[in-house]
């Protein structure tokens, strides 16, 4: 039984795209773990001890370039996807046009996926920067629409 009615096409669309970007953000945790495990780069002493082999001692490493790159990408997701989900939910409550709402949701989702690819591959700038700003501007556009429709 659904708690929220998904008969509203704007809400259904938002739920789909919000889930996609949240799953993408969650993937970044696994990507960080993958880099830590394959490079044997851990930030905590107890993690190092669990992976010591053949008498080779591991020491905590806080600045591995590859691990930090994935972590920065994940942090950027947290800084952008959480506001998108919150503002996007408010935006759906304002009764926006379906076409315009889907355009917002699709642009943001595409921008975040492109941002992640540009970060992890890496693709030369300005691709990552443009993807970042497109996503932020999309969220700001929805926030402006919410404020315009707010009755206070």
């Amino acid at each position: 039984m659904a708690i929220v009615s998904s008969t509203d096409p704007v809400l259904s669309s938002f739920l789909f795209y919000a889930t996609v970007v949240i799953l993408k953000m969650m993937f970044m945790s696994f990507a960080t773990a993958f880099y830590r495990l394959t490079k044997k780069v851990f930030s905590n002493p107890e993690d190092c001890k669990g992976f010591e082999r053949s008498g080779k001692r591991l020491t905590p490493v806080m600045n591995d370039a590859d691990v930090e790159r994935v972590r920065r990408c994940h942090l950027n997701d947290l800084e952008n996807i959480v506001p998108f989900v919150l503002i996007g939910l408010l935006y759906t409550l304002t009764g926006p046009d379906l076409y315009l709402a889907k355009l917002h949701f699709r642009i943001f989702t595409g921008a975040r996926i492109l941002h992640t690819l540009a970060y992890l591959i890496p693709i030369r700038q300005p691709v990552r920067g443009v993807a970042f700003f497109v996503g932020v501007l999309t969220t700001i556009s929805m926030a402006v629409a919410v404020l315009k429709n707010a009755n206070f």
Side-chain angles (χ1 to χ4, degrees):
M1 180 177 174
I3 296 172
V4 177
S5 172
S6 59
T7 58
D8 177 3
V10 172
L11 179 60
S12 293
S13 182
F14 171 72
L15 293 174
F16 175 81
Y17 289 103
T19 300
V20 168
V21 293
I22 289 169
L23 287 172
K24 191 218 80 59
M25 181 173 61
M26 291 172 62
F27 162 77
M28 297 309 298
S29 296
F30 294 108
T32 303
F34 173 80
Y35 275 90
R36 286 194 183 283
L37 289 169
T38 57
K39 295 188 77 177
K40 295 192 180 1
V41 173
F42 307 103
S43 57
N44 299 309
E46 64 274 15
D47 298 335
C48 292
K49 287 180 183 175
F51 287 90
E52 291 175 352
R53 301 285 183 256
S54 304
K56 182 180 177 188
R57 291 187 52 99
L58 296 175
T59 57
V61 176
M62 304 301 268
N63 59 353
D64 180 80
D66 294 330
V67 172
E68 289 305 309
R69 184 172 197 83
V70 176
R71 289 184 68 230
R72 286 191 307 273
C73 186
H74 190 194
L75 179 60
N76 194 279
D77 274 352
L78 290 168
E79 294 168 346
N80 288 276
I81 291 173
V82 171
F84 166 78
V85 169
L86 295 173
I87 290 172
L89 183 57
L90 296 173
Y91 177 70
T92 63
L93 298 175
T94 67
D97 173 71
L98 177 60
Y99 174 80
L100 192 57
K102 280 187 172 183
L103 188 63
H104 278 94
F105 306 152
R106 288 174 177 165
I107 288 173
F108 181 85
T109 301
R112 289 315 304 172
I113 291 169
L114 179 59
H115 180 270
T116 297
L117 292 174
Y119 224 130
L120 297 182
I121 290 177
I123 299 172
R124 67 180 178 85
Q125 284 285 31
V127 174
R128 190 179 81 237
V130 169
F132 167 80
F133 281 110
V134 167
V136 168
L137 292 174
T138 303
T139 302
I140 290 171
S141 174
M142 291 189 302
V144 168
V146 169
L147 293 174
K148 285 171 102 175
N149 288 304
N151 294 320
F152 54 91

